[in-house]
Amino acid sequence: MSFDRHLAEIAREFPDWTIWRSDAGRWWATRHHPLTSAQRDVGCAMTIDADDPEELREHLRVQRERSGEVEPETDT
């Protein structure tokens, strides 16, 4: 899968984050809104990075779980 397609898919899955890949090849995500004190208290991060898109997705899922966000529903 192409790098652009990975970016687009992750951005759709996590719409509250801006997703990008650095010139050095690292995958990054940063939240659109500042963290609340409750999010900081449970260990949420404003910006995260990963070696590849799959690892970034996993980090984003952990962030979602920590903040108590509900997984988006999917059509089946």
Side-chain angles (χ1 to χ4, degrees), residues 2-4 6-7 18-29 50-53 56:
S2 76
F3 141 86
D4 289 331
H6 279 296
L7 283 174
T18 297
I19 311 299
W20 76 97
R21 186 170 178 243
S22 71
D23 292 340
R26 301 266 321 145
W27 290 76
W28 293 84
D51 291 329
D52 56 52
L56 183 64

Side-chain angles (χ1 to χ4, degrees), residues 3-38:
F3 141 86
D4 289 331
R5 192 163 179 189
H6 279 296
L7 283 174
E9 286 183 0
I10 296 169
R12 275 193 302 274
E13 188 176 347
F14 300 94
D16 294 333
W17 295 80
T18 297
I19 311 299
W20 76 97
R21 186 170 178 243
S22 71
D23 292 340
R26 301 266 321 145
W27 290 76
W28 293 84
T30 193
R31 293 178 188 270
H32 292 176
H33 304 288
L35 292 170
T36 64
S37 59

Side-chain angles (χ1 to χ4, degrees), residues 32-64:
H32 292 176
H33 304 288
L35 292 170
T36 64
S37 59
Q39 288 171 317
R40 283 191 302 273
D41 290 346
V42 295
C44 289
M46 188 67 191
T47 302
I48 56 176
D49 68 319
D51 291 329
D52 56 52
E54 292 78 22
E55 183 181 8
L56 183 64
R57 265 196 178 96
E58 182 56 32
H59 289 320
L60 288 164
R61 287 183 189 114
V62 168
Q63 291 293 304
R64 183 182 278 164

